[in-house]
């Protein structure tokens, strides 16, 4: 790919930074960093009397802004079954309420309401 104009210098510096020492990619290092977001959260779903960790595919689909259109949840990242990382600006009560509504509307509870509980972990 050929980049022309003033952006060419920026692209070359970014490419060099990403490459890192000895050819190792820094993208994987950042993506897998334990410091991605400040808050580590445990997310559980409650359907009737059943309680379990929220499935990763549910969390992933909710956190994709192009599905929800909710900019307030941009700083959320699903990292595993029942596990999300979030920025400090994310309101956990609002996140739980929005997830509950989203999962219920999408029929994830098989016709029953889905309640989401979110707790910070240490």
């Amino acid at each position: 790919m050929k980049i022309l104009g003033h952006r060419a210098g920026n692209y070359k510096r970014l490419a060099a930074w990403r490459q890192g020492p000895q050819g190792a990619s820094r993208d994987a290092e950042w993506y897998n960093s334990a410091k991605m977001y400040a808050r580590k959260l445990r997310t559980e779903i409650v359907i009737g009397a059943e309680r379990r960790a929220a499935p990763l595919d549910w969390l992933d689909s909710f956190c994709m802004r192009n599905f929800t259109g909710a900019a307030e949840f941009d700083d959320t990242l699903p990292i595993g079954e029942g596990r999300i990382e979030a920025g400090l600006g994310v309101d956990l009560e609002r996140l739980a309420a929005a997830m509950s509504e989203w999962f219920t509307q999408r029929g994830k509870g098989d016709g029953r309401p889905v309640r989401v509980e979110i707790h910070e972990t240490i």
Side-chain angles (χ1 to χ4, degrees), residues 91-103:
D91 181 324
L92 298 187
E93 289 181 23
R94 173 75 185 113
L95 178 61
M99 290 176 112
S100 297
E101 182 181 339
W102 170 264
F103 296 150

Side-chain angles (χ1 to χ4, degrees), residues 76-91:
T76 58
L77 177 69
I79 58 171
E81 296 289 313
R83 295 176 36 220
I84 294 178
E85 291 184 2
L88 295 173
V90 176
D91 181 324

Side-chain angles (χ1 to χ4, degrees), residues 42-114:
R42 185 180 76 237
T43 307
E44 295 179 322
I45 58 167
V46 180
I47 303 171
E50 179 188 359
R51 174 186 297 270
R52 62 185 167 112
L56 179 58
D57 60 326
W58 293 19
L59 297 174
D60 191 43
S61 65
F62 176 83
C63 291
M64 294 178 69
R65 183 174 178 188
N66 60 337
F67 287 148
T68 64
E72 66 184 305
F73 305 126
D74 278 353
D75 290 343
T76 58
L77 177 69
I79 58 171
E81 296 289 313
R83 295 176 36 220
I84 294 178
E85 291 184 2
L88 295 173
V90 176
D91 181 324
L92 298 187
E93 289 181 23
R94 173 75 185 113
L95 178 61
M99 290 176 112
S100 297
E101 182 181 339
W102 170 264
F103 296 150
T104 299
Q105 287 177 352
R106 302 300 174 286
K108 301 294 187 183
D110 294 324
R112 295 178 292 173
V114 177

Side-chain angles (χ1 to χ4, degrees), residues 30 32-38 40 85:
W30 175 251
N32 294 318
S33 170
K35 298 177 182 177
M36 185 65 147
Y37 285 107
K40 313 300 182 213
E85 291 184 2

